[in-house]
Amino acid sequence: MTGIRGDAARRAGVPLVLATMLLLGGCATATGPGAAPPTPSPTPTPTVACPLVEGQTLPPECAPYDPDHAMAQNDRHRERMDLDEDARAAAAQPAADLQRSLETLQASGSISLDAVEQALDDAGLVDPQVMGDERAVAFGAAAPEGGCVFGELRADVVTVDVGGYIMDGGCLPAQ
């Protein structure tokens, strides 16, 4: 019985050995006098950012960028978000009241940070932001139903606008 069992085991092992050789055969690389050396296919890796210039081809070590687009994105934090019509309508009266108060301040020549902050408070606006000096005061404050009332008071002009918050929060961009 051992002869038959041994013979059957050898026959069962042959397919296993063949399958293993086929699977592992793709893992070997040809070497020797007739084999060609493997050819690497290098891919250039950008190492420096280069501005796009019309009509010029950039070297492979450059990662191209559009400087005008980059500069525009750099100031995006100053842009205002959209404000829905309900919030805009709710800010209309406080903005009109503020306009009148600031025109009175302008006419009296009493331009100051404290005076503008008091005018914002009197108009029912909250979280005032004021910056400037006696020549010009930039201001912004939260409107009743969201968004901002913002503008500037100078000796020669009063501006009051209604809009959304700026992208980085608040009613006035950082200076």
Side-chain angles (χ1 to χ4, degrees):
M1 283 245 178
T2 22
I4 296 175
R5 237 162 87 192
D7 199 28
R10 274 191 295 273
R11 278 185 286 186
V14 170
L16 180 61
V17 170
L18 285 174
T20 303
M21 287 175 56
L22 287 173
L23 288 173
L24 294 177
C27 296
T29 57
T31 58
T39 55
S41 55
T43 305
T45 303
T47 56
V48 66
C50 301
L52 291 172
V53 178
E54 192 173 323
Q56 289 185 355
T57 303
L58 296 177
E61 66 271 5
C62 285
Y65 75 96
D66 179 354
D68 295 330
H69 178 72
M71 190 57 83
Q73 291 300 321
N74 191 37
D75 286 335
R76 185 136 165 59
H77 69 281
R78 295 175 182 269
E79 292 178 15
R80 291 202 177 271
M81 294 181 228
D82 291 334
L83 185 63
D84 66 55
E85 289 306 312
D86 291 339
R88 186 173 298 280
Q93 187 59 51
D97 294 345
L98 179 62
Q99 178 82 30
R100 282 189 295 280
S101 294
L102 295 178
E103 287 170 352
T104 302
L105 284 175
Q106 180 191 38
S108 72
S110 303
I111 298 174
S112 71
L113 296 175
D114 290 337
V116 171
E117 195 167 333
Q118 184 62 50
L120 291 166
D121 188 48
D122 291 346
L125 303 167
V126 295
D127 298 327
Q129 294 174 276
V130 294
M131 61 181 77
D133 55 31
E134 66 279 344
R135 294 173 308 214
V137 177
F139 61 86
E145 291 185 26
C148 300
V149 174
F150 59 95
E152 184 177 36
L153 170 61
R154 294 186 307 193
D156 59 340
V157 69
V158 175
T159 60
V160 176
D161 290 308
V162 174
Y165 293 104
I166 57 173
M167 293 291 187
D168 67 352
C171 291
L172 291 181
Q175 297 293 323

